């Protein structure tokens, strides 16, 4: 695992955007696995700026997103489809037809999970999967559990995740209780995994994920079995991990 420590959120985003853009430059028609949450916002902003300047093109890229709230329409301002459109897709030259997310309004959850796994299989292995990290070590919406869920599945969100995401809604009652998420097999199928973390509130989850035991109780810990993981974090987010003696690559 490669670990890059950056001074602050801005530098972390620039580093992550550099790694992501390198993938697209080397393989312009690649598949990118994309994530939502506040962490990737600065990464998407940086990529969109490079695209606007003509330094980067997503015209041939396909994207597959990790997750979507169940029950939210694509036009709902808190849906992940809306997030991706407004923060990234509408700002770059990607073909909207080449962007995939689970359908939050699907009538039949089991059928939707099968449909999304078919989408992922047809798209092929992502060249890179971008991930944020939940406070409880979740990736996508793979919450702590007794076993790793491999395929796309419908999740009952934990109290910690609902409360963390309340900041985006008018009240906690409005936060959806369920979400579709790509499973662990989908995430691990990417040729490269890029985990972006920022802030002291993530420090504990980072240490538990990358220095503790590999366990479904800390879903991100499974990433340690992936052959090509890059962790990009700011100093605050890496503080607890550093105490464990994990070696750092500084650039
Ligand atoms: C949500 C998303 C995750 C994301 C996590 C952390 O639960 N489903 O993909 O990594 O939040 O979000 P943030 O980056 O806002 O801390």
């Amino acid at each position: 695992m490669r670990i890059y420590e950056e001074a602050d959120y801005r530098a972390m985003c620039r580093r992550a955007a550099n790694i992501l853009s390198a993938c697209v430059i080397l393989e312009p028609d690649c598949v990118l696995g994309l994530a939502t949450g506040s962490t990737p916002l600065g990464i998407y902003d940086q990529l969109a700026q490079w695209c606007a300047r003509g330094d980067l093109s997503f015209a041939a890229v396909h994207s597959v997103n990790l997750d979507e709230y169940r029950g939210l329409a694509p036009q709902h301002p808190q849906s992940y489809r809306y997030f991706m459109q407004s923060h990234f897709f509408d700002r770059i030259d990607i073909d909207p037809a080449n962007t995939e997310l689970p359908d939050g309004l699907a009538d039949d959850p089991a059928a939707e999970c099968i449909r999304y796994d078919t989408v992922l299989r047809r798209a092929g292995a992502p060249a890179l999967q971008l991930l944020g990290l939940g406070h409880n070590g979740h990736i996508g919406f793979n919450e702590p559990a007794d076993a790793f869920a491999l395929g796309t599945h419908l999740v009952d969100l934990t109290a910690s995740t609902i409360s963390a995401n309340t900041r985006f809604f008018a009240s906690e009652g409005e936060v959806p209780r369920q979400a579709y998420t790509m499973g662990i097999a989908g995430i691990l199928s990417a040729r490269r995994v890029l985990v972006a973390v920022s802030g002291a509130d993530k420090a504990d989850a980072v240490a538990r994920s990358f220095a503790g035991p590999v366990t479904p109780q800390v879903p991100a810990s499974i990433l340690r079995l992936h052959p090509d993981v890059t962790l990009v974090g700011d100093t605050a987010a890496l503080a607890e991990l550093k105490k464990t003696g994990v070696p750092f690559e500084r650039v």
Side-chain angles (χ1 to χ4, degrees):
M1 184 173 71
R2 238 166 277 117
I3 304 176
Y4 291 92
E5 180 182 2
E6 304 295 339
D8 54 22
Y9 176 73
R10 200 181 147 80
M12 182 283 286
C13 288
R14 199 175 160 79
R15 170 73 61 198
N18 259 305
I19 294 168
L20 219 144
S21 71
C23 268
V24 175
I25 289 165
L26 290 172
E27 194 182 342
D29 60 350
C30 68
V31 179
L32 291 179
L34 298 178
T36 53
S38 30
T39 308
L41 282 173
I43 303 171
Y44 293 148
D45 186 56
Q46 178 66 81
L47 293 169
Q49 285 182 40
W50 286 334
C51 191
R53 275 203 330 233
D55 290 341
L56 189 62
S57 172
F58 294 85
V61 166
H62 285 65
S63 72
V64 290
N65 257 80
L66 286 168
D67 45 15
E68 178 59 285
Y69 287 116
R70 183 177 183 208
L72 297 193
Q75 304 78 12
H76 189 291
Q78 299 311 333
S79 76
Y80 284 167
R81 165 56 78 177
Y82 188 94
F83 174 104
M84 290 308 299
Q85 291 300 140
S86 52
H87 293 297
F88 197 38
F89 298 153
D90 290 346
R91 302 179 59 198
I92 59 174
D93 58 350
I94 198 166
D95 180 346
N98 293 342
T99 64
E100 301 283 356
L101 281 89
D103 175 5
L105 291 186
D107 291 332
D108 178 347
E112 176 55 15
C113 293
I114 291 169
R115 183 196 72 82
Y116 202 60
D117 275 338
T118 306
V119 164
L120 298 178
R121 202 167 44 247
R122 289 202 180 130
L128 180 145
Q129 174 67 57
L130 175 63
L131 294 175
L133 185 66
H135 292 110
N136 57 9
H138 74 236
I139 44 178
F141 269 131
N142 289 274
E143 295 278 35
D146 291 336
F148 291 108
L150 300 184
T152 299
H153 55 289
L154 185 65
V155 184
D156 292 326
L157 300 178
T158 63
S160 128
T161 300
I162 291 168
S163 113
N165 288 342
T166 297
R167 67 190 195 276
F168 301 113
F169 293 81
S171 69
E172 187 165 314
E174 284 185 23
V175 185
R177 268 35 188 175
Q178 292 184 309
Y180 293 100
T181 184
M182 195 189 284
I184 294 298
I187 292 171
L188 294 183
S189 76
R191 303 204 304 270
R192 279 185 174 177
V193 176
L194 175 61
V195 187
V197 289
S198 170
D201 60 314
K202 294 289 172 72
D204 187 51
V206 172
R208 291 201 300 135
S209 300
F210 296 104
V214 174
T215 164
Q217 295 298 337
V218 185
S221 65
I222 194 77
L223 298 174
R224 309 236 301 284
L225 302 184
H226 190 283
D228 193 338
V229 174
T230 302
L231 172 64
V232 181
D234 58 21
T235 299
L238 298 181
E240 292 300 319
L241 183 63
K242 279 166 84 173
K243 291 181 192 163
T244 68
V246 168
F248 275 66
E249 180 176 325
R250 288 174 191 268
V251 183

